[in-house]
């Protein structure tokens, strides 16, 4: 199946694009091409592969697959989500300005502020849930708007279509980090985004067993620049990790359905629990952007944050969980529970967290694919310790 045939349904594309049987053996699963180089017949005569930093057949398959899932023209994979985001930034030049969401995954502003700001790039952070804030922040030097929706961990949404409309009129690229929703529940390119980035470490891989990142492009010249970066800077994804993602995406549709079904149950349980002060989940009707969530996403997903009231309360409950695993990351088949203030958003600093509303009592859960009754029972017994 070619990446051009986007007509097939999502699950069919996930299972078949780039996943064709091996032509030489008929093997149903793609091969892992563990090779650093490729033999050439004569100078300059080869089968399209010269050196593994530049390209690898297992990687090619994954890039075709992910481009088809996001509806892009091409995709380029990198050694981690941060390497993918870094690759996007390196397409900018000193003096360029980027408007960013004020509640991005903590590692993203760390990269922007502690590394790229020293090379003459300028970053402005605004609450992108109001498109007017984006519009006001744009300057003559703005080249890119970088958003995450829903945000991590506050689960605030940005209207991708509205932001893309404002930016397109000024020829500013919109980049959407789609890690939380996966292409199964949110299709930023169809809503007007120019680039989509993922930490494939999360839902795309789905099994908490490999780091990776991808940038999905809407224009051939973006893909050419990123291919050049793979070659020139070398932060490529190994063939084995490409294969893990190719295997993981085969079940993306069914995993996401289950994540969503269980996510709704867990969010309702938490919202009705007397020890929980607030729940952040776009699927709850009292979420301030519930209507936008219904329009922009086809499911609400697995990510929920909730307020326990204090660091001590959060720690008391997190010490007690048994089915849920306390740790950083998200998007695996196992339920992962984390403490944003000391984990994902430690780098933002206490002042930064206060400004955006991340408290010490906030806990984030990535609802896994276990039996949902077991997840709920586990949370119930853990919360009873508060
Ligand atoms: C939304 C989001 N984007 C990017 C990243 C960075 O990805 P990686 O850890 O694969 O470098 C993360 C990691 O947690 C994330 O949650």
């Amino acid at each position: 199946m070619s990446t051009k045939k986007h007509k097939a349904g999502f699950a069919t594309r996930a299972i078949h694009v780039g996943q064709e049987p091996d032509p030489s053996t008929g093997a149903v699963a793609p091969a892992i091409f563990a090779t650093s180089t490729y033999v050439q017949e004569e100078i300059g005569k080869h089968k399209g592969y010269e050196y593994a930093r530049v390209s690898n057949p297992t990687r090619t398959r994954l890039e075709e697959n992910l481009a088809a899932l996001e509806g892009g023209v091409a995709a380029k994979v990198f050694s981690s989500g941060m390497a993918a985001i870094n690759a996007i930034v390196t397409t900018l030049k000193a003096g360029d300005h980027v408007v960013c969401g004020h509640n991005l995954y903590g590692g993203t502003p760390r990269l922007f502020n502690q590394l790229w700001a020293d090379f003459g790039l300028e970053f402005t952070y605004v609450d992108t849930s109001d498109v007017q804030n984006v519009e006001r922040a744009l300057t003559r030097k703005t080249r890119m708007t970088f958003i995450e929706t829903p945000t991590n961990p506050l689960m605030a949404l940005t209207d991708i279509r509205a932001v893309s409309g404002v930016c397109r009129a000024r020829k500013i690229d919109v980049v959407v980090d789609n890690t939380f929703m996966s292409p199964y529940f949110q299709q930023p390119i169809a809503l007007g985004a120019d680039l989509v980035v993922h930490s494939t470490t999360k839902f795309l891989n789905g099994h908490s067993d490999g780091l990776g990142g991808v940038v999905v492009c809407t224009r051939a010249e973006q893909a050419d620049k990123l291919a050049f970066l793979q070659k020139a800077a070398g932060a490529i994804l190994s063939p084995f990790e490409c294969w893990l993602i190719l295997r993981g995406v085969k079940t993306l549709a069914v995993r996401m359905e289950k994540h969503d079904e269980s996510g709704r149950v867990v969010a309702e349980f938490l919202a009705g629990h007397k020890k929980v002060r607030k729940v952040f989940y776009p699927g709850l009707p009292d979420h301030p952007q519930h209507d936008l969530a219904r329009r922009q996403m086809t499911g609400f997903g697995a990510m929920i944050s909730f307020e326990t009231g204090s660091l001590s309360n959060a720690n008391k409950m997190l010490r007690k969980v048994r089915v849920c695993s306390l740790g950083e990351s998200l998007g695996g088949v196992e339920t992962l529970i984390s403490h944003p203030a000391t984990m994902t958003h430690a780098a933002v600093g206490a002042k930064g967290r206060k400004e955006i509303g991340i408290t010490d009592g906030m806990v984030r859960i990535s609802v896994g694919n276990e039996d949902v009754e077991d997840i709920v029972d586990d949370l119930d017994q853990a919360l009873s310790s508060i």
Side-chain angles (χ1 to χ4, degrees):
M1 193 180 292
S2 113
T3 49
K4 289 187 189 108
K5 290 185 196 157
H6 286 172
K7 294 279 185 282
F10 187 94
T12 310
R13 276 178 278 149
I15 294 168
H16 291 288
V17 178
Q19 309 257 27
E20 298 82 359
D22 179 58
S24 59
T25 61
V28 168
I32 302 171
F33 282 87
T35 187
S36 58
T37 192
Y38 308 86
V39 72
Q40 308 195 8
E41 284 168 51
E42 58 182 73
I43 296 171
K45 192 167 175 199
H46 50 74
K47 295 181 166 58
Y49 292 95
E50 290 167 88
Y51 187 64
R53 178 162 23 81
V54 182
S55 52
N56 175 285
T58 317
R59 200 164 97 207
T60 306
R61 281 172 170 265
L62 176 63
E63 291 177 339
E64 283 176 15
N65 180 283
L66 296 180
L69 295 189
E70 282 288 0
V73 299
K76 295 289 155 197
V77 293
F78 294 88
S79 55
S80 67
M82 288 318 305
I85 293 170
N86 191 54
I88 293 174
V89 183
T90 54
T91 64
L92 300 170
K93 293 197 169 50
D96 287 350
H97 174 242
V98 184
V99 174
C100 311
H102 74 332
N103 172 212
L104 300 174
Y105 162 64
T108 303
R110 176 175 57 202
L111 172 75
F112 293 172
N113 301 342
Q114 295 182 41
L115 199 138
W116 284 106
D118 289 343
F119 289 84
L121 292 181
E122 258 187 74
F123 301 91
T124 301
Y125 298 88
V126 297
D127 178 358
T128 56
S129 64
D130 181 348
V131 67
Q132 289 186 348
N133 291 338
V134 176
E135 206 161 5
R136 275 194 287 268
L138 302 176
T139 71
R140 274 187 305 110
K141 294 178 172 177
T142 310
R143 296 284 167 270
M144 190 177 276
T145 297
F146 192 104
I147 58 178
E148 247 175 63
T149 177
T151 59
N152 174 11
L154 293 163
M155 304 306 292
L157 269 58
T158 292
D159 186 332
I160 299 172
R161 197 185 288 284
V163 168
S164 301
V166 161
C167 292
R168 180 164 315 108
R170 295 168 170 82
K171 295 195 166 48
I172 294 166
D173 275 349
V174 173
V175 182
V176 177
D177 183 333
N178 202 23
T179 300
F180 264 35
M181 280 297 110
S182 90
Y184 186 71
F185 283 138
Q186 184 165 268
Q187 295 265 299
I189 290 174
L191 297 168
D194 297 281
L195 286 167
V196 175
V197 64
H198 283 270
S199 165
T200 62
T201 315
K202 313 300 182 325
F203 292 103
L204 288 171
N205 174 306
H207 295 76
S208 307
D209 54 13
L211 281 184
V214 64
V215 185
V216 184
C217 310
T218 55
R219 303 191 296 272
E221 76 266 18
Q222 296 167 331
D224 291 346
K225 263 192 189 174
L226 293 170
F228 173 76
L229 272 164
Q230 288 179 320
K231 174 164 123 177
I236 47 113
L237 194 60
S238 80
F240 177 61
E241 304 215 62
C242 291
W243 183 85
L244 284 176
I245 302 165
L246 278 166
R247 189 188 55 164
V249 293
K250 286 186 181 178
T251 56
L252 182 63
V254 284
R255 282 189 286 108
M256 292 313 292
E257 285 293 340
K258 175 85 175 154
H259 280 304
D260 184 58
E261 191 187 301
S262 301
R264 293 173 197 230
V265 173
V266 171
E268 269 171 34
F269 160 75
L270 291 169
H273 199 288
K274 59 181 187 312
K275 298 283 174 66
V276 174
R277 302 178 184 202
K278 190 166 180 190
V279 180
F280 302 81
Y281 184 65
L284 290 173
D286 66 354
H287 185 283
Q289 294 159 300
H290 182 63
D291 289 344
L292 175 60
R294 296 182 77 93
R295 271 203 316 279
Q296 176 160 283
M297 292 140 52
T298 51
F300 303 119
M303 302 306 300
I304 306 166
S305 299
F306 57 98
E307 181 55 56
T308 63
S310 66
L311 178 61
S312 142
N313 282 349
N315 204 25
K316 273 188 206 154
M317 83 150 293
L318 290 172
R319 266 203 302 256
K320 291 273 185 216
V321 290
R322 293 292 172 265
V323 176
C324 308
S325 303
L326 172 61
E328 302 218 15
S329 204
L330 59 114
V333 288
E334 50 289 289
T335 298
L336 293 165
I337 195 159
S338 67
H339 183 243
T342 55
M343 295 179 172
T344 47
H345 289 71
V348 177
K351 187 168 168 277
R353 288 194 297 276
K354 194 167 180 207
E355 271 164 22
I356 53 182
I358 301 175
T359 64
D360 287 351
M362 188 174 275
V363 170
R364 189 192 76 185
I365 181 164
S366 165
V367 178
N369 289 167
E370 302 93 340
D371 295 296
V372 71
E373 302 76 26
D374 295 333
I375 303 170
V376 166
D377 281 355
D378 191 40
L379 290 170
D380 200 22
Q381 64 80 22
L383 283 165
S384 70
S385 66
I386 294 181

